[in-house]
Amino acid sequence: QVQLVESGGGSVQAGGSLRLSCAASGDTYGSSCVGWFRQAPGKEREWVASIYTDGFSTYYADSVKGRFTISRDSAKNTVYLQMNSLKPEDTAMYYCAAEGFCTVVAGRSRAADFRYWGQGTQVNVSS
């Protein structure tokens, strides 16, 4: 079992930055791959980025590439999502998710690829 707790959400103006954190505990193997997803009201959950245990294998959705950076501090069992140049369309509930391995097909992952989920942290970007 893996427990995930997100933090760092908030409200920011367009062009601003936020850093989300995802603290993992429990089965280390089960959190070898950590991903960030987001879900806006009335929309499907959208994959944002993933990172593997080595900290170097990272994957991004095209919509955030060049603006968001995923990283991890293995000593703290924490994964971060640095979000820069935020846009109003980035407004959503952001969730972190974990699985034993990263599944990336055609440059993207799916919610079904992850077993463990956090409760989410809200990000609001105003224009």
Side-chain angles (χ1 to χ4, degrees):
Q1 289 291 324
V2 176
Q3 294 77 44
L4 303 170
V5 179
E6 303 96 333
S7 61
S11 297
V12 64
Q13 289 191 326
S17 298
L18 283 173
R19 189 178 79 157
L20 306 183
S21 299
C22 173
S25 60
D27 179 13
T28 302
Y29 173 76
S31 60
S32 294
C33 180
V34 174
W36 283 98
F37 288 76
R38 65 187 181 185
Q39 188 167 20
K43 294 190 176 182
E44 291 187 356
R45 193 165 294 192
E46 174 192 18
W47 170 72
V48 174
S50 295
I51 187 166
Y52 197 55
T53 189
D54 61 8
F56 297 104
S57 300
T58 58
Y59 313 90
Y60 295 93
D62 288 343
S63 58
V64 305
K65 206 170 289 184
R67 298 189 300 124
F68 291 9
T69 301
I70 190 169
S71 61
R72 71 191 298 164
D73 184 333
S74 296
K76 296 182 179 179
N77 291 327
T78 300
V79 171
Y80 304 98
L81 185 68
Q82 177 68 44
M83 305 185 297
N84 298 330
S85 302
L86 282 162
K87 305 175 181 180
E89 51 263 44
D90 294 319
T91 294
M93 183 72 79
Y94 282 71
Y95 300 90
C96 69
E99 183 51 81
F101 50 89
C102 288
T103 300
V104 181
V105 178
R108 62 188 294 266
S109 293
R110 306 168 305 157
D113 295 328
F114 293 84
R115 274 182 293 172
Y116 306 107
W117 292 84
Q119 294 300 306
T121 185
Q122 180 68 37
V123 171
N124 295 311
V125 184
S126 59
S127 58

